[in-house]
Amino acid sequence: MRPVLRSSSSLSRIRWALRNQERHSSTFSSRSRKLLIGANQNEALVNTNTCNSTLFSRLSFSRGLSAEAVEAAVRLTVSSSADVNRTGPLVEYERRISDGELMTGDICQLGALKELQRLHDQLVESVDTCRLDRYNTSDKSSRSRWFWSRIMPQSTVSPVKGLYLYGGVGTGKTMLMDLFFDQLPCTWKKQRIHFHDFMLTVHSRLQKHKGLSDPLEVVAQEIAHDAILLCLDEFMVTDVADALILNRLFGHLFSNGIILVATSNRNPDKLYEGGLQRDLFLPFIASLKERNVVHEIGSAVDYRKLTSAEQGFYFIGTDLSTLLKQKFQELIGGNVVARPQVVEVVMGRKLQVSLGANGCAYFPFEELCDRPLGAADYFGLFKKFHTLALEGVPVFGLHNRTAAYRFVTLVDVMYENRARLLCTAEATPQELLEKIVTISDAKSMSPRTSSRSRKNDVSELCVDNELGFAKDRTISRLTEMNSKEYLEQHAITHNL
């Protein structure tokens, strides 16, 4: 267990250390600095000042912050104070604090913030070397270099390492990456995209270049031509087709100077765990770790669940079809008639919508999750609709594992598009996925005493590593999507 600062004597020793450090440091600034460590919209505030008593009173010892966490905050404060003209994530945090946009959160985000600032500073210093500025050279020379690179490929690995940020659900990974991305110049060759969407684009381009000797190489060159800094949200590998091409794809991307920033719920060593032909995937993990700093957000707090729940349209029970259709009609307008529609998705595919009107779509669960649909279909759906009414979400288990996979993907795509969900379900989000467990969870479960009860336990469980790992994320997102804050943001985003 880490030591916890509680006594006045411990506090006095740290204050003495800080005073001594200040006397011997020529770079310790007298300017007040504020650092925020946050997740989604519930952030942690560490307010620092040359007045040491103020610094430690703001660190809120009543919450039991560890000595290591306090020392880390002090070290970063001193280094940040040395250069008052720095730009990047820290400056934006300060602005949000001063504007009152941020709330108290989690000290565990401090390390992630430090890594993002490190990457920001290195990119600014290496902007020419990394070819980040799309207007630094003429369009003609840029097109010429791209053309000749397709004929005679040359390796131009970036001197700057990227960042692979992983941790539990709701700990602020996406928010941190988005803030980092937004602080970089708009003239840079950068792209922020969900991993699902990214892989759909890759497969679409592969189809376009079908017949070439190495279409992956051409696809990588096209991606690098558009974006040198690639930010991928929710990096996860569940599809064998994706797993088998990632090593070669990213080998070409890194050779073309791509710098990766990725968020994930999984440690790199756990990606595609238990997947088919995983031995062919392992070289990609080694490459990923070689080209990126791997950092874990160690927080155990899911800030999505701190929102005001039960403000949305999640109805539990059976025979609620009439209620759901009534709510759906209220959203589209009392006099509007919803009709069947067709939505075009990638590679010429089309999706039949049961009912649709005014940006709202209505589906029975079976039509979206019991049919052979995937992320491409769902992304296509939410390019046209901002609200989904889903009727009859069941409890998931061994008998409907495939539908559970599709439901998890559907929720991910909805969350990425900040879509609104109305649904009727047999149980709460937690109970819907209660029977989905990982292998380690299944081994740790204590079987009941009788052999008959033990047999029932096993038959009810769906032991699936990828699905079991994804369920916490799904529960977390369903909870947030049902909150007042999420629905208010949805209304602002879509001008409702």
Side-chain angles (χ1 to χ4, degrees), residues 189-202:
K189 296 166 68 175
K190 60 176 185 172
Q191 182 184 27
R192 188 272 191 209
I193 188 171
H194 192 276
F195 183 72
H196 270 317
D197 209 1
F198 173 73
M199 290 308 300
L200 289 173
T201 302
V202 168

Side-chain angles (χ1 to χ4, degrees), residues 39 120 167 341 423 467:
H120 174 277
Q341 297 187 23
C423 74
L467 197 55

Side-chain angles (χ1 to χ4, degrees), residues 169-190:
V169 298
T171 54
K173 301 180 295 297
T174 298
M175 184 275 296
L176 286 170
M177 185 182 75
D178 286 346
L179 187 144
F180 161 79
F181 183 85
D182 292 340
Q183 300 314 300
L184 299 172
C186 60
T187 58
W188 282 15
K189 296 166 68 175
K190 60 176 185 172

Side-chain angles (χ1 to χ4, degrees), residues 192-194 233 379 411-418:
R192 188 272 191 209
I193 188 171
H194 192 276
D233 191 29
F379 272 109
V411 172
D412 284 342
V413 173
M414 289 192 70
Y415 189 84
E416 172 68 12
N417 286 274
R418 309 308 289 177

